[in-house]
Amino acid sequence: MPITKMPKSSLDMVAIAEELLEQYRKTPSPALLLSAVLTANHVIDWHCKENGKKLDEEMRKDLERQFPGWDALRQISNGLKHMKPKTNQYHHGKLIDREPSWGDDNFWRGYGTGIPHWYIDINEKQVPVESLCQDFLDKYKQNVEPSQ
């Protein structure tokens, strides 16, 4: 069901990111995938504001421990502002466009759909960006109390 209101909380941002991922699954498009990544990344900004916290280096490290994969989303998101990636940065320019294959993370999520998936190398393993994003959103929802 489409979102019909503007976001007012971090969980609203989660819902928007999930809607974008659902649209991406129906109509694979880099625009939809990258929009979902941007939205998911900014869930943390909303989270910090709701909790009266600043996203400083200490907070970033804590969030990286709490939400593995978020830092890769953050770097891809930040990389969209820059044409050239920084050394060792996860960047949209480094995404690999291919069909899912046996042994991939979340193989069954993409197998047989005919949808190309974009992967990013993380620790010498190709991880689907869609799964990275969805896994972050799922973990965030599990670990955060609604503020409304």
Side-chain angles (χ1 to χ4, degrees):
M1 178 117 125
I3 306 284
T4 59
K5 64 177 186 165
M6 293 304 252
K8 293 182 181 175
S9 70
S10 60
L11 290 173
D12 288 347
M13 291 293 284
V14 167
I16 290 170
E18 289 182 324
E19 181 176 322
L20 288 163
L21 285 175
E22 191 58 38
Q23 290 174 11
Y24 163 76
R25 291 176 191 122
K26 292 175 185 172
T27 308
S29 156
L32 288 169
L33 180 63
L34 293 173
S35 294
V37 167
L38 283 166
T39 305
N41 171 55
H42 286 90
V43 165
I44 294 299
D45 292 330
W46 287 67
H47 172 83
C48 289
K49 186 161 181 107
E50 288 170 351
N51 291 287
K53 299 191 178 192
K54 185 176 180 181
L55 187 56
D56 57 17
E57 192 62 30
E58 183 180 336
M59 176 66 135
R60 185 171 310 167
K61 286 180 182 180
D62 184 47
L63 289 165
E64 288 171 23
R65 281 189 295 274
Q66 190 175 1
F67 304 109
W70 168 71
D71 191 53
L73 296 174
R74 181 188 66 78
Q75 288 183 43
I76 293 167
S77 180
N78 287 341
L80 285 168
K81 296 186 295 186
H82 309 285
M83 201 162 87
K84 288 180 80 175
K86 295 178 184 175
T87 306
N88 297 323
Q89 176 189 18
Y90 300 116
H91 189 273
H92 69 281
K94 296 180 180 180
L95 298 185
I96 302 152
D97 181 7
R98 68 171 176 79
E99 292 289 326
S101 62
W102 186 252
D104 284 342
D105 283 354
N106 296 313
F107 169 75
W108 294 110
R109 199 182 272 174
Y111 178 74
T113 62
I115 298 172
H117 289 262
W118 282 269
Y119 291 76
I120 189 78
D121 280 320
I122 297 178
N123 300 324
E124 300 180 21
K125 184 176 184 181
Q126 290 184 356
V127 178
V129 175
E130 176 267 336
S131 294
L132 191 68
C133 196
Q134 186 67 63
D135 292 346
F136 162 71
L137 297 169
D138 290 344
K139 188 161 181 97
Y140 185 83
K141 288 187 300 187
Q142 291 170 1
N143 290 289
V144 174
E145 295 292 323
S147 63
Q148 298 173 334

